[in-house]
Amino acid sequence: MSQGANANYSGAAFEGDMCGWLRKHGHKTSRYRYKALWYNKQLNETDGWLKEDRIMIECKNQDVNGTADQKFAAVLMDAHYSIDIDACKHYVLVYGGSWWEYGRGLNIYNNARRIAKDINEKFSVDDKEIHVMKFDEFKKWLPLHSKNHVESMT
């Protein structure tokens, strides 16, 4: 399997893990379709949308050096400019995989969090919030922001 094909497989597996975890904890997930900044005849889709909570989820999984780590700025700006506030109160970029735990991956993760904070503080004109977190952090964050709060979300 090529590196690109392996990355697509790994990414799809992480999205499946995320959606499975959400369903296990009582969340109904769907996908939100929208016209991205780079729109060219095909709408983009979020990896998950908790419509009742107005939470949209984008998953990025990486275990080794690759290109997913270079896409965070475009993803965050697209969420800020392209996703309708009526559909989204919280846009969450969730990182999975070991790449984000050390070295370059950790630096990128920390800078993605910083840029999300800057977008929220300096550019936001509505109440939409952009977040960046790892899967374990997301599991702790979600019960605090969901109407479908379940005591044990691990």
Side-chain angles (χ1 to χ4, degrees), residues 72-74 76-77 108-123 130 132:
F72 71 90
L76 297 176
M77 292 309 289
I108 289 169
Y109 169 76
N110 287 331
N111 280 292
R113 289 178 60 94
R114 181 177 59 87
I115 290 171
K117 182 180 179 210
D118 285 349
I119 290 170
N120 293 333
E121 292 176 358
K122 297 176 183 174
F123 302 109
I130 310 274
V132 175

Side-chain angles (χ1 to χ4, degrees), residues 32 46 48-58 76 79-80 83-94 120 126-133 138 141-147:
Y32 179 79
T46 59
W49 182 30
L50 307 179
K51 186 175 181 177
E52 179 181 328
D53 297 315
R54 294 174 51 217
I55 296 172
M56 293 188 188
I57 303 159
E58 181 67 29
L76 297 176
H80 173 68
I83 294 182
D84 182 11
I85 184 60
D86 292 332
C88 182
K89 164 75 173 145
H90 297 282
Y91 181 92
V92 188
L93 174 57
V94 181
N120 293 333
D126 51 37
D127 69 344
K128 179 176 20 178
E129 295 179 38
I130 310 274
H131 308 275
V132 175
M133 56 190 78
F138 177 77
W141 176 90
L142 185 61
L144 303 174
H145 296 88
S146 172
K147 297 172 189 166

Side-chain angles (χ1 to χ4, degrees), residues 19-80:
C19 289
W21 181 85
L22 289 166
R23 281 190 303 273
K24 177 182 172 187
H25 295 286
H27 293 279
K28 181 181 177 191
T29 63
S30 57
R31 292 181 182 256
Y32 179 79
R33 294 172 53 98
Y34 65 98
K35 189 184 274 190
L37 292 172
W38 48 82
Y39 173 75
N40 186 19
K41 298 182 184 176
Q42 184 172 340
L43 295 175
N44 274 33
E45 287 186 331
T46 59
D47 293 327
W49 182 30
L50 307 179
K51 186 175 181 177
E52 179 181 328
D53 297 315
R54 294 174 51 217
I55 296 172
M56 293 188 188
I57 303 159
E58 181 67 29
C59 298
K60 295 291 180 206
N61 188 69
Q62 196 156 333
D63 288 309
V64 297
N65 189 17
T67 60
D69 67 2
Q70 300 167 5
K71 298 174 183 170
F72 71 90
V75 169
L76 297 176
M77 292 309 289
D78 191 44
H80 173 68

Side-chain angles (χ1 to χ4, degrees), residues 97-110:
S98 60
W99 176 248
W100 314 110
E101 301 299 327
Y102 57 90
R104 175 183 161 159
L106 181 59
N107 288 337
I108 289 169
Y109 169 76
N110 287 331

